[in-house]
Amino acid sequence: MSEPVQAAQATIVDAASTDLEIDHRRKEPPRSSEPKNAAFSNERKKSLGARYYYGIIFLLTNLVAWFVRDYGQKIVPELHYLKSCGSGGIACFQTMGVLRVSLGCFMFFFLMFLTTLNTRKLHDIRSIWHSGWWVVKFFILMGSMTAPMLFPSNLIHLYGEFARVGAGIFLVLQLISVIQFIAWWNNHWMPDGESKRSCSIGLVMSTIFYVASVGGIIMLCKFYASGQSLNIFFIAWTGILLVVMLVISLHSKVNRGLLSSGIMGSYIVFLCWSAIRSEPAIQNSNMQKQGSHHDWFTILSFLIAICAIVMATFSTGIDSESFQFRKDEIQLEDDVPYKYGFFHLVFSLGAMYFAMLFICWNLENTTRKWIIDVGWASTWVKIVNEWLAATIYCE
């Protein structure tokens, strides 16, 4: 065999062996990435678990606010001696006490917002700060909760005015989150494609929500409309909004489907019921008497309301995707699972929101035990929230 032929065969063999080696290397998983993947997975678990710790902190501050409002004057008499608490310590209890606790909670979560804003990667030091360092955070929280007790009453009153605005912003964010969830639910159960099963389930659910909405209107008329012209107006307008949303959803240019309008209809009926229930007892068409606010039903409703505040704040805080301008962003393995800054911002606004519920949106309100979100201010806030919800949905 000639030398050129032997050289050509040797070249072919070398090339084949090189291709096999490259192919083998491609099939082998990169060993160096395995520790990184494990580290990212561990940090992701810590980040997801941290949400519940912050939720517990928020719940505890709600309970502290309730304790200071209803029982603080008797159980913590030491505050009477603080100059900032005024004569008899009245400026650190009841309405002013709730605002001080709310301010402490706001300060803690707003500090967390500032220190975690624009955190994008799990290996960022700010992500580690968000998910850990709980001992340091405990002392920061204690300092945040204690400092407002030393602030003058004028500053606390100014914070109360500011908290009204913050609570309103929180309600708008919560409303957007609810509407986004309704849209997702409608797209999931009422697809444009071929899934007959999903479509049939969606129709059944639409029927259930519409029956619940109409039934709710009937029950409102039965229990709350007798001799109450304002309640009649609230209920009638809610019924009109229900019909308008149904017509808009079925319009050929909109075609949102029955499910979304059914869920939103049930939601605005619930808001109407909640608004009427918030009316002062002496003008309320409810059968309960004014002095019956201390029974077990009232206490249970109060505890449920606190849990609802925490759940509303938590669910809105983790729903940062509803407020993104770009919906096509690709989630990488080392990206944070949710927006830390937005999460803490919502909790700081939630601190203002729970303060308004505890003092019934009235800075001069004389609070009573086991009462939450009762008063004409609370009623109108919920009614406006209902109308805003229907307007945003129709848009």
Side-chain angles (χ1 to χ4, degrees):
M1 188 177 296
S2 62
E3 292 183 1
V5 174
Q6 290 179 352
Q9 289 179 346
T11 302
I12 293 173
V13 171
D14 291 341
S17 61
T18 303
D19 290 340
L20 289 175
E21 185 177 355
I22 293 174
D23 186 61
H24 180 68
R25 288 179 180 177
R26 286 177 179 176
K27 290 181 180 180
E28 283 186 351
R31 296 179 181 179
S32 59
S33 65
E34 291 180 359
K36 290 184 179 180
N37 295 338
F40 291 152
S41 178
N42 187 36
E43 289 298 325
R44 183 178 295 274
K45 289 179 181 178
K46 288 183 180 180
S47 174
L48 295 174
R51 301 178 302 175
Y52 300 100
Y53 293 122
Y54 291 114
I56 293 173
I57 291 173
F58 190 76
L59 173 62
L60 291 177
T61 54
N62 276 258
L63 296 176
V64 169
W66 158 72
F67 174 81
V68 169
R69 188 195 71 172
D70 291 355
Y71 300 102
Q73 198 164 6
K74 295 181 180 179
I75 301 179
V76 194
E78 291 79 6
L79 294 179
H80 296 178
Y81 301 102
L82 290 178
K83 184 179 180 180
S84 58
C85 292
S87 178
I90 191 63
C92 287
F93 304 110
Q94 297 186 0
T95 297
M96 295 297 288
V98 170
L99 290 175
R100 291 178 187 273
V101 174
S102 170
L103 177 56
C105 183
F106 168 80
M107 290 168 57
F108 173 77
F109 281 107
F110 195 74
L111 176 63
M112 293 301 303
F113 161 71
L114 294 177
T115 54
T116 58
L117 182 63
N118 290 329
T119 304
R120 301 184 182 279
K121 299 298 181 180
L122 289 170
H123 53 74
D124 193 323
I125 187 64
R126 292 175 297 173
S127 177
I128 299 174
W129 160 247
H130 168 81
S131 306
W133 295 77
W134 293 107
V135 176
V136 176
K137 290 175 187 174
F138 172 79
F139 287 105
I140 293 176
L141 178 62
M142 291 299 101
S144 300
M145 299 297 289
T146 304
M149 294 298 174
L150 306 176
F151 294 164
S153 299
N154 292 337
L155 181 59
I156 300 300
H157 194 276
L158 179 63
Y159 166 75
E161 297 289 352
F162 179 62
R164 284 176 171 172
V165 179
I169 296 174
F170 174 84
L171 286 175
V172 173
L173 294 178
Q174 182 187 10
L175 186 58
I176 294 174
S177 180
V178 169
I179 293 176
Q180 290 291 333
F181 172 77
I182 291 175
W184 172 84
W185 192 264
N186 181 75
N187 293 334
H188 182 74
W189 291 110
M190 300 290 289
D192 296 328
E194 308 162 346
S195 178
K196 295 183 179 179
R197 180 185 176 188
S198 295
C199 190
S200 62
I201 293 176
L203 290 175
V204 171
M205 295 176 66
S206 302
T207 304
I208 292 174
F209 279 109
Y210 267 105
V211 170
S213 302
V214 175
I217 294 290
I218 295 173
M219 297 301 289
L220 288 174
C221 292
K222 180 178 179 180
F223 291 107
Y224 299 103
S226 177
Q228 298 288 337
S229 57
L230 185 59
N231 289 352
I232 293 174
F233 168 71
F234 288 158
I235 298 169
W237 190 248
T238 300
I240 293 173
L241 291 177
L242 190 64
V243 174
V244 170
M245 288 191 301
L246 172 62
V247 172
I248 291 178
S249 296
L250 295 179
H251 196 277
S252 58
K253 293 184 178 180
V254 179
N255 194 25
R256 290 182 178 175
L258 290 171
L259 182 57
S260 61
S261 59
I263 299 175
M264 180 55 71
S266 299
Y267 181 64
I268 66 171
V269 170
F270 166 77
L271 288 177
C272 181
W273 170 81
S274 181
I276 294 175
R277 290 276 299 178
S278 294
E279 294 177 3
I282 56 175
Q283 301 184 33
N284 197 340
S285 59
N286 192 354
M287 297 300 295
Q288 294 181 352
K289 296 180 180 180
Q290 184 178 4
S292 63
H293 287 296
H294 299 284
D295 57 17
W296 284 108
F297 178 78
T298 303
I299 295 175
L300 180 61
S301 300
F302 178 83
L303 296 176
I304 292 175
I306 290 181
C307 293
I309 295 170
V310 176
M311 289 301 299
T313 307
F314 183 85
S315 60
T316 306
I318 63 177
D319 187 25
S320 57
E321 293 182 0
S322 297
F323 304 91
Q324 289 181 354
F325 293 102
R326 293 183 58 186
K327 304 293 184 179
D328 57 345
E329 293 184 3
I330 300 175
Q331 183 78 16
L332 301 178
E333 189 175 9
D334 60 341
D335 286 345
V336 294
Y338 54 96
K339 303 299 182 183
Y340 299 156
F342 179 81
F343 177 82
H344 292 295
L345 178 62
V346 169
F347 270 74
S348 63
L349 296 174
M352 300 180 178
Y353 177 64
F354 83 68
M356 292 298 104
L357 295 188
F358 274 107
I359 67 175
C360 305
W361 296 83
N362 186 359
L363 301 183
E364 308 299 331
N365 183 53
T366 302
T367 56
R368 291 178 296 170
K369 293 181 180 180
W370 300 106
I371 294 299
I372 185 171
D373 204 20
V374 173
W376 285 114
S378 299
T379 296
W380 281 106
V381 166
K382 292 178 181 178
I383 288 296
V384 172
N385 192 30
E386 174 197 341
W387 296 346
L388 182 62
T391 303
I392 294 177
Y393 176 82
C394 293
E395 288 292 336

